[in-house]
Amino acid sequence: MTAPRLSVVIPNWNGKRFLAPCLDSLRAQTEPNIEIIIVDNGSSDGSQGFVKTAYADVHLIELPDNQGFTGACNRGMRAATGEFIALLNNDTEVARDWAAQVLQALDAKPAAGIIACKMLMHNQRDRFHTAGDYFATDGSAGNRGFGELDQGQYDAGDYVFSACGGAAVYRRSLLDEIGYLDDDFFFLLEDVDIAWRAQLAGYAVWFAPGAVVYHHISATGGGKTASYYAGRNGLWLIAKNMPATLLRKYWRRILARQAGLFWEALRAWRGEAARARLRGMAAGLLSLRGCLAKRGEIQAQRRASDAHIDSLLTRR
């Protein structure tokens, strides 16, 4: 067998109930030569034995403990042999031509270092989870088209800011240049962070509407855990990546949003998620020194102009 062009890395933590539909959809691809790697984060639900028995052709990497989304993905990406590396959530299913569409997009868009897939809701397959992700001038990130009825409004494809890490594809050459996911993020917004680094380095992100993925929204993550990392990692995103010129231009919007998030969490402090958000924001502020060290490296390697990056931001 020739070396695969596409490697698919699936992080897993106690997601045994989702694995069969996900892996079966990959086995059914029209593009036959795909490397599939599952990185298990120390699951206790029997995921490892299930994969070994039912999917012996899948490369299983067993980690001794939960090293987060970033830890599992980075381990899998380093083990991958393909020219292109896809990250795929364990709670997804892909259309039969998903891999073929991904490769077609990569061949057609040589400037694109990242491909964003068309993610639809698993139980409402005519509605969007995301048509590529955005980053706004107030420092917020989100899913383009979330909840919208799919009426062909995104079928032409487009350049976007980021790809949702639940179904994102990266050129190996990009990863060799800018590095893998930031392991300090652990979980949440790591996909936007790597997109920031790619955009600053002069790469583009292309939304490929033909690469269809069905996703169980927040099936394997959320609640207070997500609130903590959203509060912390949201601050890190800005501190690490946003050019100084744009920080000076948009600091009022960024500050207003952070103040709003803080006040909203403070008002709801009796709830676990609200308290987790406050802890996350505090952790983010207390660890800014480390972000600034990373920022120096990122900004020193950038090739994109401030005007170009500004043009990619969503106005809110």
Side-chain angles (χ1 to χ4, degrees):
M1 181 180 291
T2 58
R5 294 193 72 199
L6 181 65
S7 296
V8 181
V9 175
I10 304 169
N12 179 69
W13 182 63
N14 291 329
K16 177 184 174 183
R17 65 194 185 279
F18 297 113
L19 291 177
C22 179
L23 293 172
D24 288 346
S25 70
L26 288 170
R27 276 182 167 178
Q29 290 297 290
T30 58
E31 173 66 36
N33 192 12
I34 303 171
E35 179 182 42
I36 304 173
I37 302 170
I38 290 182
V39 185
D40 188 82
N41 261 329
S43 293
S44 58
D45 67 347
S47 290
Q48 307 93 322
F50 174 70
V51 172
K52 290 175 184 176
T53 301
Y55 298 92
D57 56 320
V58 170
H59 181 189
L60 174 65
I61 299 174
E62 298 181 65
L63 303 181
D65 51 21
N66 187 356
Q67 297 179 20
F69 183 84
T70 56
C73 289
N74 284 341
R75 181 69 175 271
M77 287 194 286
R78 290 189 175 98
T81 61
E83 179 185 358
F84 311 112
I85 303 174
L87 298 182
L88 196 64
N89 272 14
N90 59 358
D91 57 353
T92 60
E93 294 177 46
V94 295
R96 289 195 71 243
D97 64 344
W98 168 78
Q101 290 287 336
V102 163
L103 293 174
Q104 179 179 321
L106 286 160
D107 290 338
K109 302 292 178 180
I114 303 174
I115 297 295
C117 299
K118 178 180 181 178
M119 299 184 73
L120 301 171
M121 297 184 184
H122 190 274
N123 297 324
Q124 291 179 285
R125 297 194 171 197
D126 58 350
R127 291 195 179 274
F128 278 97
H129 170 191
T130 182
D133 290 356
Y134 66 81
F135 193 87
T137 54
D138 64 357
S140 62
N143 303 136
R144 191 174 69 134
F146 181 81
E148 292 180 18
L149 188 67
D150 182 6
Q151 298 178 312
Q153 64 269 45
Y154 300 112
D155 280 358
D158 199 2
Y159 288 104
V160 293
F161 190 87
S162 177
C164 173
V169 189
Y170 304 91
R171 290 186 190 272
R172 180 179 294 278
S173 56
L174 166 76
L175 299 173
D176 288 343
E177 180 176 344
I178 70 170
Y180 294 84
L181 302 178
D182 186 336
D183 237 344
D184 290 338
F185 274 62
F186 191 78
F187 164 68
L188 211 66
L189 295 175
E190 73 295 315
D191 46 5
V192 185
D193 176 70
I194 196 171
W196 256 112
R197 288 185 277 132
Q199 299 282 10
L200 289 168
Y203 290 89
V205 181
W206 176 256
F207 166 65
V212 178
V213 178
Y214 304 101
H215 184 214
H216 291 273
I217 306 296
S218 297
T220 55
K224 64 181 181 181
T225 301
S227 295
Y228 173 84
Y229 289 111
R232 188 195 68 174
N233 296 353
L235 291 172
W236 283 1
L237 268 183
I238 299 164
K240 278 183 63 180
N241 300 301
M242 205 163 190
T245 301
L246 300 186
L247 281 172
R248 289 191 293 270
K249 183 175 182 180
Y250 297 121
W251 71 268
R252 291 179 180 84
R253 298 184 192 186
I254 294 168
L255 184 61
R257 177 175 176 271
Q258 291 296 324
L261 290 171
F262 175 80
W263 177 242
E264 181 182 339
L266 197 63
R267 289 178 61 189
W269 70 272
R270 292 181 183 274
E272 285 188 341
R275 294 199 300 274
R277 163 82 67 170
L278 293 171
R279 290 196 302 272
M281 295 178 78
L285 289 171
L286 291 172
S287 57
L288 283 181
R289 178 176 294 182
C291 283
L292 295 178
K294 294 179 182 178
R295 175 186 179 84
E297 296 178 9
I298 293 167
Q299 301 300 325
Q301 296 173 1
R302 61 178 291 199
R303 293 194 295 266
S305 68
D306 289 347
H308 173 68
I309 297 298
D310 197 6
S311 73
L312 299 172
L313 303 182
T314 298
R315 271 60 185 167
R316 297 186 65 181

